[in-house]
Amino acid sequence: MKYSPIPALFLLLLAVPSMAQDGKAIFNKQCKACHTIGEGKKVGPDLQGVTTRRDPEWIAKFILSSKDLIASGDKDAVALFEEYKKMPMPSHNLSQSDISGLLTYIIDYKKG
C-alpha cells in the first residue's frame, strides 16, 4: 500500500490556526506581563521579530530555563541578563508543541 502525504499535510494545516490560538492563550497567561509584541520593551524585550534574531531551538531553551542557559555561559543569554538588570526570565514548563504555538502566535501577531 502506497502512503500519500496529502491527508497528513491536510491535518497539519488544520492544526495551524489551533496552534496560534493556543499560542495566544500562552502569551496572554505567561508572557504578556513582561513582554510586548511590537510595542517596545517592558520588563523583558519586545518579542516582535524574535525568530529572526534567534534560532527557535535557542528560544525554546531560554523559555524553558533562562537560568540554565545563562549558567552555561551562552553569550546571548548572558547579554540579555545583563541588559535587563540581571533579572532572569522565570522558567516555564511548556511542551515543544506549546512553544511552537507561542512562536507561531508571535510571528503572526497583528495589533487589534
Side-chain angles (χ1 to χ4, degrees), residues 2-20:
K2 186 176 176 186
Y3 171 74
S4 171
I6 302 301
L9 179 60
F10 180 72
L11 290 174
L12 179 62
L13 290 174
L14 287 177
V16 171
S18 174
M19 280 179 55

Side-chain angles (χ1 to χ4, degrees), residues 1 4 21-22 28 39 48 53 70-71 85 97 103 105:
M1 181 174 181
S4 171
Q21 200 65 338
D22 292 345
N28 286 334
E39 296 179 23
Q48 185 173 34
R53 295 188 303 270
I70 293 162
K85 303 176 184 173
S97 178
L103 294 180
Y105 174 70

Side-chain angles (χ1 to χ4, degrees), residues 1 7 11 24-25 27-28 39 42 45 53 58 60-61 67-68 86 95 99 101-102 106 110:
M1 181 174 181
L11 290 174
K24 179 179 181 178
F27 180 83
N28 286 334
E39 296 179 23
K42 216 171 178 181
R53 295 188 303 270
W58 185 94
K61 288 178 184 178
K67 292 176 189 175
D68 288 349
K86 297 187 178 188
S95 68
I99 292 171
L102 178 60
I106 292 169
K110 306 229 182 332

Side-chain angles (χ1 to χ4, degrees), residues 24-112:
K24 179 179 181 178
I26 292 167
F27 180 83
N28 286 334
K29 183 177 180 185
Q30 298 189 34
C31 310
K32 193 174 185 174
C34 297
H35 298 279
T36 68
I37 305 172
E39 296 179 23
K41 294 178 181 180
K42 216 171 178 181
V43 175
D46 185 331
L47 298 179
Q48 185 173 34
V50 70
T51 58
T52 61
R53 295 188 303 270
R54 305 275 187 256
D55 178 80
E57 185 177 326
W58 185 94
I59 295 169
K61 288 178 184 178
F62 197 86
I63 290 170
L64 294 173
S65 180
S66 71
K67 292 176 189 175
D68 288 349
L69 204 53
I70 293 162
S72 78
D74 180 274
K75 65 180 178 82
D76 292 330
V78 171
L80 281 171
F81 181 66
E82 295 288 332
E83 182 178 350
Y84 289 91
K85 303 176 184 173
K86 297 187 178 188
M87 181 187 291
M89 186 172 88
S91 296
H92 296 280
N93 187 21
L94 298 174
S95 68
Q96 288 299 321
S97 178
D98 291 338
I99 292 171
S100 293
L102 178 60
L103 294 180
T104 298
Y105 174 70
I106 292 169
I107 291 166
D108 294 343
Y109 178 79
K110 306 229 182 332
K111 289 183 184 177

